[in-house]
Amino acid sequence: MTTAPDFPRVHIATDHAGMELSAHLVHHLGAKGYEVVDHGPKTYDALDDYPSFCINAATAVVVDQAAGTSALGIVLGGSGNGEQIAANKVKGVRAALAWNLDTARLAREHNDANVVAVGGRQHSVDEATAIIEAFLTEPFSNEERHVRRIGKIATYETTGEVVE
């Protein structure tokens, strides 16, 4: 499938609790023109270990962005908390847990988040889809204060130095 020029590639991963939502999003976003890359799991396992799926999706976002490809990520779970934590362990990822339209938009607008985490058991499919679409379509503001703050986070991530 060819990616529409204004649509980023979307890397998606889940745990067992988000599989129904993930399947919906793969189809829904693909139909809208996104190139969706599914990082699993492929089969339901109530005892699955989600970190590998989420880390793989987050890593793919960073690799794509470093190569100049527009890419964002989605990680799903029952609450989205563990999935966000796993994604945030990948250097270069700013994963945000979004629970409504405002938190999804602000994650992109103010924090240039490149991965969104959503709890599949916290929202209806329609609500979760709207939250994710808000995240995917909101641009980063590029305001100096936000760029500066993100730079301080990146400095700590790469050097361990806390910049005042």
Side-chain angles (χ1 to χ4, degrees), residues 71-88:
L72 294 171
I74 302 165
V75 293
L76 306 168
S79 69
N81 283 312
E83 295 74 21
Q84 177 207 27
I85 291 167
N88 271 321

Side-chain angles (χ1 to χ4, degrees), residues 78-143:
S79 69
N81 283 312
E83 295 74 21
Q84 177 207 27
I85 291 167
N88 271 321
K89 298 300 180 185
V90 176
K91 185 177 177 181
V93 167
R94 287 178 307 284
L97 179 64
W99 62 89
N100 61 29
L101 296 175
D102 287 338
T103 57
R105 288 184 186 117
L106 289 170
R108 292 283 305 131
E109 181 184 354
H110 289 188
N111 305 110
D112 198 17
N114 50 8
V115 175
V116 65
V118 174
R121 292 182 175 157
Q122 311 304 312
H123 309 281
S124 70
V125 169
D126 288 343
E127 289 171 334
T129 301
I131 290 167
I132 288 163
E133 285 183 345
F135 176 85
L136 294 175
T137 59
E138 186 68 34
F140 176 52
S141 72
N142 276 306
E143 288 183 27

Side-chain angles (χ1 to χ4, degrees), residues 14-116:
T14 188
D15 74 352
H16 62 278
M19 287 192 72
E20 182 179 318
L21 177 58
S22 180
H24 164 77
L25 290 168
V26 167
H27 175 75
H28 176 79
L29 295 174
K32 285 189 164 280
Y34 292 91
E35 177 187 357
V36 182
V37 181
D38 188 352
H39 293 270
K42 302 298 182 203
T43 58
Y44 180 85
D45 177 359
L47 301 177
D48 67 4
D49 290 330
Y50 62 83
S52 59
F53 305 124
C54 296
I55 290 168
N56 287 337
T59 299
V61 170
V62 172
V63 168
D64 274 354
Q65 289 180 337
T69 300
S70 177
L72 294 171
I74 302 165
V75 293
L76 306 168
S79 69
N81 283 312
E83 295 74 21
Q84 177 207 27
I85 291 167
N88 271 321
K89 298 300 180 185
V90 176
K91 185 177 177 181
V93 167
R94 287 178 307 284
L97 179 64
W99 62 89
N100 61 29
L101 296 175
D102 287 338
T103 57
R105 288 184 186 117
L106 289 170
R108 292 283 305 131
E109 181 184 354
H110 289 188
N111 305 110
D112 198 17
N114 50 8
V115 175
V116 65

